[in-house]
């Protein structure tokens, strides 16, 4: 089924996100899971032993912050401070990544906490800690995670599975690139991890996100569009069936059955055209507001307009409108003909 106009906003949001900083990755290469849920610490250690290769494997964990009388759940990544600066290109807005140590953290600016302040956190394993905020960085919704020092690595086992979703790799200056890449591929062979470039990582993550979005959209779209089509057909069937008097007046005025049918079809096409025009105006107003908001968030914010989907939805709605008119008019015409024949007999 074609994608509905309801998905245009998500398309625009996805396009804007892909034009912005993607995952803040600076590393040239990365390890990605290959048929496994993540990358084990042993694989990371094997790659880290290769001469001239630096590896950062952030562990996904969970931290809880106090918000008045409740705990707020937040995502966090455990990573070495030096490797964080080497592998990730965070847009620091306050403080410095150089201040990241075992007693500090880096948080997104969306949290509204300034650098230098202290944040009380509860970890997934029950440990409580007061961490000073070394820096805040600009983050998009969905990418607003805290960065924690390595001493919290054990909490990843309690919060998740203790596996890294990706491991970022950088080569030290002067390293033989071909030899290093060959050694990395040999070290990860058969371990459930594969070596990819940064561009491949960004492309795969974007493709996966788009796939999940499309699955959700299509599931909702099928339900919504089917109900809309049923409503259109039902409304027109009932409305046209109640206009038998108009049909009789047209026949008494001398209109032939064909002329009557063409009149009602033209009327249904006019109604469909008005409906499509109103829908396009409402959508344009909605997308204009969305574009303005995205422009403020991401700068460049292209809007994607699926013309094929517009044409398909318009054509199907028009066909249903015509069908919803033709069927009751045909039935009424046949009933009127039978009635006239019976009267003459």
């Amino acid at each position: 089924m074609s994608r509905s106009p309801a998905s245009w906003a998500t398309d625009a949001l996805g396009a804007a996100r892909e034009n912005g900083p993607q995952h803040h990755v600076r590393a040239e290469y990365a390890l990605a899971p290959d048929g496994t849920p993540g990358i084990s610490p042993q694989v990371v250690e094997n790659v880290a032993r290769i001469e001239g290769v630096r590896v950062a494997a952030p562990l996904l964990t969970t931290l809880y912050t106090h918000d008045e009388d409740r705990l707020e759940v937040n995502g966090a990544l455990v990573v070495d401070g030096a490797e964080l600066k080497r592998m990730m290109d965070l847009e620091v807005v306050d403080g410095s990544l150089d201040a990241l140590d075992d007693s500090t953290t880096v948080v997104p600016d969306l949290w509204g906490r300034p650098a230098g302040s202290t944040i009380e956190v509860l970890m997934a394993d029950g440990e409580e800690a007061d961490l000073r905020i070394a820096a805040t960085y600009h983050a998009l919704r969905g990418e607003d995670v805290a960065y924690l020092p390595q001493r919290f690595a054990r909490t990843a086992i309690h919060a998740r599975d203790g596996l890294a979703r990706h491991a970022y790799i950088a080569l030290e200056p002067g390293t033989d690139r071909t030899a290093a890449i060959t050694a990395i591929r040999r070290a990860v062979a058969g371990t459930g991890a594969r070596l990819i470039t940064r561009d491949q990582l960004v492309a795969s993550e974007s493709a996966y996100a788009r796939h999940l979005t499309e699955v959700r959209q299509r599931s909702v779209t099928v339900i919504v569009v089917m109900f809309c089509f049923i409503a259109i057909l039902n409304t027109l069937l009932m409305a046209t069936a109640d206009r038998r008097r108009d049909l009789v007046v047209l026949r008494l005025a001398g209109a032939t059955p064909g002329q009557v049918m063409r009149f009602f079809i033209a009327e249904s096409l006019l109604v469909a055209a008005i409906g499509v025009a109103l829908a396009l105006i409402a959508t344009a107003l909605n997308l204009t507001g969305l574009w303005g908001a995205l422009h403020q968030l991401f700068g460049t914010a292209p809007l994607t307009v699926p013309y094929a989907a517009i044409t398909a939805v318009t054509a199907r709605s028009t066909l249903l409108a015509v069908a919803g008119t033709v069927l009751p008019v045909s039935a009424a015409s046949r009933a009127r003909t039978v009635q006239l024949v019976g009267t003459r007999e």
Side-chain angles (χ1 to χ4, degrees):
M1 174 173 286
S2 301
R3 303 179 69 184
S4 71
S7 67
W8 302 350
T10 308
D11 290 340
L13 181 58
R17 278 188 178 275
E18 291 179 11
N19 276 276
Q22 185 74 7
H23 302 298
H24 308 288
V25 177
R26 177 182 292 173
E28 294 182 84
Y29 301 95
L31 294 180
D34 187 14
T36 58
I39 302 170
S40 69
Q42 185 60 47
V43 174
V44 176
E45 292 178 6
N46 292 341
V47 175
R49 294 193 188 102
I50 300 174
E51 185 176 357
V53 175
R54 303 298 297 259
V55 184
L59 295 176
L60 186 61
T61 186
T62 303
L63 63 83
Y64 304 87
T65 57
H66 294 278
D67 183 10
E68 296 181 353
D69 58 344
R70 66 184 181 87
L71 290 176
E72 184 175 348
V73 182
N74 302 281
L77 292 172
V78 178
V79 63
D80 180 78
E83 300 302 336
L84 175 64
K85 293 184 293 181
R86 183 190 299 270
M87 305 294 183
M88 308 296 287
D89 187 18
L90 300 182
E91 184 182 343
V92 177
V93 296
D94 190 15
S96 173
L97 297 180
D98 294 330
L100 183 62
D101 54 30
D102 283 348
S103 61
T104 61
T105 182
V106 175
V107 301
D109 56 353
L110 293 175
W111 290 16
R113 298 176 182 267
S117 62
T118 300
I119 180 173
E120 182 181 351
V121 300
L122 173 65
M123 304 307 300
D125 62 348
E127 178 183 354
E128 295 184 357
D130 292 330
L131 300 176
R132 183 175 58 84
I133 298 177
T136 62
Y137 71 96
H138 178 65
L140 306 177
R141 290 291 180 186
E143 299 178 1
D144 50 334
V145 297
Y147 289 91
L148 299 173
Q150 285 286 356
R151 72 185 183 95
F152 293 107
R154 66 182 182 279
T155 66
I157 300 177
H158 298 273
R160 309 284 177 166
D161 51 16
L163 302 176
R165 296 302 181 264
H166 295 99
Y168 306 108
I169 297 177
L171 304 181
E172 295 179 350
T175 302
D176 186 332
R177 183 179 300 271
T178 302
I181 296 301
T182 302
I184 294 172
R185 295 187 188 279
R186 187 182 303 114
V188 302
T191 63
R194 59 190 177 93
L195 180 67
I196 59 176
T197 64
R198 178 191 180 278
D199 291 340
Q200 290 174 325
L201 172 65
V202 172
S204 64
E205 289 293 294
S206 298
Y208 181 68
R210 286 195 299 270
H211 170 70
L212 290 181
T213 301
E214 289 176 1
V215 169
R216 298 189 188 103
Q217 286 178 349
R218 289 176 180 175
S219 301
V220 175
T221 298
V222 168
I223 298 173
V224 172
V225 172
M226 289 302 297
F227 272 103
C228 289
F229 286 168
I230 292 173
I232 292 173
L233 190 59
N234 181 65
T235 301
L236 287 173
L237 285 172
M238 295 177 61
T240 307
D242 289 339
R243 298 181 62 189
R244 294 179 183 272
R245 179 174 299 178
D246 296 339
L247 176 60
V248 172
V249 171
L250 288 173
R251 292 300 305 276
L252 292 176
T256 65
Q259 290 174 329
V260 172
M261 183 64 69
R262 287 193 294 273
F263 170 80
F264 279 96
I265 290 177
E267 187 180 68
S268 66
L269 291 176
L270 177 61
V271 171
I274 294 174
V276 170
L278 292 176
L280 290 176
I281 292 173
T283 302
L285 293 175
N286 183 37
L287 289 181
T288 300
L290 176 65
W291 180 85
L294 293 179
H295 187 74
Q296 292 181 351
L297 287 173
F298 304 105
T300 302
L303 291 178
T304 59
V305 180
Y307 295 101
I310 296 174
T311 304
V313 172
T314 301
R316 293 176 186 179
S317 299
T318 303
L319 287 175
L320 282 175
V322 172
T325 300
V326 169
L327 293 177
V329 169
S330 298
S333 296
R334 286 194 298 270
R336 177 62 179 170
T337 301
V338 171
Q339 182 180 1
L340 289 174
V341 172
T343 302
R344 290 174 182 174
E345 291 178 351

